[in-house]
Amino acid sequence: MCCTGGGPDPSGADGDLGTDAAFTALLEDSPEELYELAPCGYLSTMMDGTIAKINTTLLDWLGLTREDLVGKKRFADLLTVGGKLYHETHFAPLLRMQGELGGIALEMRTAGGGRLPVLVSSQVKHGSEGDPLLIRTTVFDASDRRAYEEELLRRRQDAERARVEAERARAEAERARAEAEEARRQAEADRARLADALTVLQQSLVPASLPDVPGLESAVYYHTASADQLGGDFYDLFPMHGDRWGFFLGDVCGKGPQAAALTSLTRYTLRAAAQHAPEPAAALTALNTVLHERYAASGDPRYCTAIFGTLQPGADGHVHVRLASGGHPPALVLRAGGYADFLPTPGGLLVGVLPTAPFVTAQATLAPGDTLLLYTDGLTEARTGATRDSLYGDEALHEFAARHAPAAAGEVISALAGLLGGFGDGLEDDTALLALGVPAARPRPLPATDQPR
């Protein structure tokens, strides 16, 4: 059946024709419109650069009119100073030689005095006989590209600055570390030298060794709480007139060089006093006078505790002891019978505090097997717990001595040195120990007739 009338063609041919017509209409741009409104700038110049033609796009970018440019300005006049220099020295000579140049980055000046980054491509048009007639130039807006390049350059510069700063910081840290290490080594060396000097000075304040006393055994131990400070404990054993021997042990107030000076003065005063005033109480009285006059008069009172005694062997093998104490812990005797007791020395005040001080001489006898122990309060005031409320104390020392009695002088000192080592950080003060013992009597050999068979 045929279709008649003006209805739509079922095949759709009319629809295709409508679409083609609309598409064709879109492409029907005039060459003039394509030139003027192109997405890039166009201009044509004479061979000397005089502008002969320029499109609307470039005029809008620059904010200029044709009347301002055509026949009046040259291409180079549109460039910045740097661009004009580059055009005259490089761009134009190369264009004449090569006939074309592409993608050259320049900057053009706008009417408002701004700068427009552009990419320029130029080509020389020749006549039929090969003569150059004019120059055609295409201009692309490179603002976005320039902004990207500048941002990229900025980021690169920031990264380089960060790298340089990091390198500088690393170098400074390394230099600081090296300086700190050198300072640490120097401090350790200085501390070692100071410790050596203090050790030498500390040794000069006590006898290098104890003398041999006929019929008596002696032993000593000195513990320094800090290698960085001079201690104030002192002791001595020395001969007196006849068969008598003097001994003393004590502790001066304070630490450091001033304590060392006080220790030296105390030792030599007691030794000198013992030659002129052999009674222990008289020797301590002389020391009290010297210390009070030397320090209290200057407004810097200093004092010490001390126990001073003399030893005199008897014909029966016993040793007679005379003692006086100036505020010092009492001496302790480990008896041959297996017990221990303190030797009371009443009436003793700190030496050097008052102009006059009462000191009393007490007497005791050491039988064979007995050992006399003198000590400073670093032993009894050693901390056995976390606080200062838990101290070793006199009672514990008495029990310790009783457990070890009887014991020779060396045995007593060895046992006490082990005890001090067990206190660890609780031993906060210097400690001096001096033991004087009478050797135990040896059994007399039996007569030949009584020898066992």
Side-chain angles (χ1 to χ4, degrees), residues 219-223 235 413 416-417 420-421 431-434:
V220 70
Y221 179 79
Y222 193 103
H223 169 81
Y235 60 88
I413 294 300
L416 287 173
L420 292 174
T431 304
L433 306 173
L434 176 62

Side-chain angles (χ1 to χ4, degrees), residues 113 160 166 231 242 250 270 323 423 441:
E160 180 63 18
L270 285 176
L323 284 175
F423 291 136

Side-chain angles (χ1 to χ4, degrees), residues 210 216-223 233-238 245-251 270 280 284 305-311 321-334 340-345 362 364 366 370-380 394 397 400-401 407-410 412-414 416-417 419-420 430-437:
L210 296 180
L216 201 71
E217 295 175 345
S218 62
V220 70
Y221 179 79
Y222 193 103
H223 169 81
D233 292 5
F234 59 91
Y235 60 88
D236 207 347
L237 175 63
F238 54 94
W245 290 79
F247 64 92
F248 56 79
L249 180 140
D251 183 8
L270 285 176
L284 290 182
T305 67
I307 188 165
F308 185 95
T310 60
L311 301 167
V321 181
R322 297 177 68 79
L323 284 175
S325 174
H328 198 81
L332 184 62
V333 180
L334 284 73
D341 54 23
F342 288 108
L343 294 183
T345 47
L366 298 180
D370 291 346
T371 298
L372 175 70
L373 173 66
L374 307 179
Y375 54 93
T376 56
D377 57 10
L379 170 59
T380 52
D394 296 332
L397 176 61
F400 182 89
V412 173
I413 294 300
S414 178
L416 287 173
L419 175 66
L420 292 174
D430 301 330
T431 304
L433 306 173
L434 176 62
L436 305 169

Side-chain angles (χ1 to χ4, degrees), residues 35-42 55-62 66:
Y35 177 83
E36 289 295 338
L37 302 179
C40 59
Y42 288 120
N55 74 342
T56 301
T57 300
L58 185 54
L59 289 172
D60 291 344
W61 288 353
L62 299 178
R66 283 188 176 83

Side-chain angles (χ1 to χ4, degrees), residues 44-62:
S44 299
T45 65
M46 307 303 290
M47 293 305 297
D48 64 355
T50 301
I51 298 173
K53 189 177 182 181
I54 186 169
N55 74 342
T56 301
T57 300
L58 185 54
L59 289 172
D60 291 344
W61 288 353
L62 299 178

Side-chain angles (χ1 to χ4, degrees), residues 345-370:
T345 47
L349 296 178
L350 293 175
V351 184
V353 174
L354 301 175
T356 59
F359 301 108
V360 178
T361 298
Q363 300 186 58
T365 301
L366 298 180
D370 291 346

Side-chain angles (χ1 to χ4, degrees), residues 93-118:
L94 285 173
L95 182 60
R96 293 191 191 97
M97 287 189 299
Q98 300 178 5
E100 63 179 355
L101 283 177
I104 304 301
L106 295 172
E107 283 187 332
M108 303 184 78
R109 293 186 295 111
T110 66
R115 294 168 176 256
L116 177 66
V118 295

